[in-house]
Amino acid sequence: MTPLDEFIYRQPKAIREVLDFLNEYIPSLDPEIRTTIKWKVPYYMRRKSMCYMNVLKSGGVELNFIRGYFFEKDKKKYLDFKKR
């Protein structure tokens, strides 16, 4: 079992389903995307870090984009920057 599989397996069932979906979907977008564990969370990388999944204490999952500020202005209305 890979460290990513172990990370997902340790989560509650509802969270695990979301993490499993994202873990299958994100790498399917481009064959060069690799998955790793950094700072105890799953990271998705191509040439540089792209995004990571964060399990919230409240029971949700965040998909955080490392360079979200590069999104086009009309796409930013769908993102929550949380005052960052």
Side-chain angles (χ1 to χ4, degrees):
M1 190 177 277
T2 68
L4 177 60
D5 292 334
E6 290 176 18
F7 174 85
I8 293 172
Y9 181 76
R10 287 192 311 262
Q11 306 305 321
K13 185 178 181 198
I15 300 296
R16 194 177 327 139
E17 289 175 0
V18 173
L19 295 175
D20 273 336
F21 171 78
L22 289 172
N23 189 46
E24 289 178 21
Y25 179 72
I26 294 170
S28 73
L29 298 172
D30 186 328
E32 291 184 27
I33 294 176
R34 326 181 291 288
T35 307
T36 187
I37 297 285
K38 282 186 174 183
W39 299 287
K40 300 181 184 180
V41 295
Y43 264 77
Y44 296 88
M45 307 172 77
R46 195 161 173 251
R47 290 185 182 93
K48 296 181 179 181
S49 294
M50 292 178 6
C51 61
Y52 63 96
M53 295 187 294
N54 186 29
V55 176
L56 302 172
K57 291 180 183 178
S58 63
V61 175
E62 285 182 329
L63 180 61
N64 298 286
F65 292 92
I66 307 300
R67 292 170 187 82
Y69 53 87
F70 282 123
F71 281 93
E72 297 171 12
K73 288 183 181 180
D74 63 325
K75 305 288 190 255
K76 287 183 180 180
K77 64 184 174 186
Y78 301 110
L79 302 175
D80 180 5
F81 285 89
K82 295 188 177 181
K83 299 181 183 177
R84 294 182 199 161

